Amino acid sequence: MASPWQDLTDLTGDGEFTVERVRLSDKDIAIEGSFDLSPLARLSAEDQVFVMAFVQCHGSIKQMERIFGISYPTVKKRLDGIASRFEFVISEPEPIDDVERSEVIDQLERGEITVDDAVERLSG
């Protein structure tokens, strides 16, 4: 028996869709509105299984090779393809200017902050 998500992903393919009703089975409650699925839920059922296996393997590409009977480059290519469907937000800490750096060091020397506090503030 196919999972409901597999049926949904088979039905929608790569097309955009919005969920408009959510039913909480155990509470017999239905909520209507406009709900977006998470990027993971938007993956095909096959890709979801691949990601779940990767997580269960603790990121071991060697184990993924054995489980799926594919080569290292094929695992990497598949992971790259899945990752390309996600928007990753990697924020760089704002650099601290010389005046702020000097103030942190002065506070540390006066005993107003701990070394850990100083390191945290200096690293952004």
Side-chain angles (χ1 to χ4, degrees), residues 45 55 74 81 114:
V55 171
T74 304
T114 66

Side-chain angles (χ1 to χ4, degrees), residues 16-27:
E16 288 293 317
F17 64 93
T18 302
V19 175
E20 293 185 349
R21 181 181 165 109
V22 175
R23 185 169 183 279
L24 306 174
S25 314
D26 59 335
K27 306 240 190 276

Side-chain angles (χ1 to χ4, degrees), residues 9 33 54 72 74 76 82 90 99-100 102 104 107 116 118:
T9 56
F54 188 68
Y72 180 94
T74 304
K76 291 289 287 177
I82 292 170
I90 300 173
V99 174
E100 289 175 286
S102 178
V104 170
Q107 288 176 333
D116 289 337

Side-chain angles (χ1 to χ4, degrees), residues 34-122:
S34 180
F35 308 100
D36 288 327
L37 294 178
S38 73
L40 286 172
R42 289 185 171 274
L43 292 175
S44 70
E46 187 177 309
D47 283 344
Q48 288 180 28
V49 168
F50 197 82
V51 169
M52 288 186 289
F54 188 68
V55 171
Q56 287 180 327
C57 291
H58 303 281
S60 169
I61 293 179
K62 286 192 180 294
Q63 283 185 309
M64 294 294 286
E65 289 177 273
R66 284 193 297 271
I67 290 170
F68 290 95
I70 55 179
S71 68
Y72 180 94
T74 304
V75 174
K76 291 289 287 177
K77 183 177 179 182
R78 183 93 183 265
L79 290 170
D80 289 343
I82 292 170
S84 71
R85 299 194 56 196
F86 303 139
E87 289 183 29
F88 291 104
V89 178
I90 300 173
S91 61
E92 293 292 323
E94 291 291 321
I96 189 166
D97 66 30
D98 290 338
V99 174
E100 289 175 286
R101 179 176 284 111
S102 178
E103 178 61 28
V104 170
I105 292 170
D106 289 346
Q107 288 176 333
L108 180 61
E109 287 174 346
R110 291 191 301 263
E112 296 172 0
I113 61 174
T114 66
V115 172
D116 289 337
D117 293 335
V119 169
E120 183 178 329
R121 289 178 57 191
L122 291 171

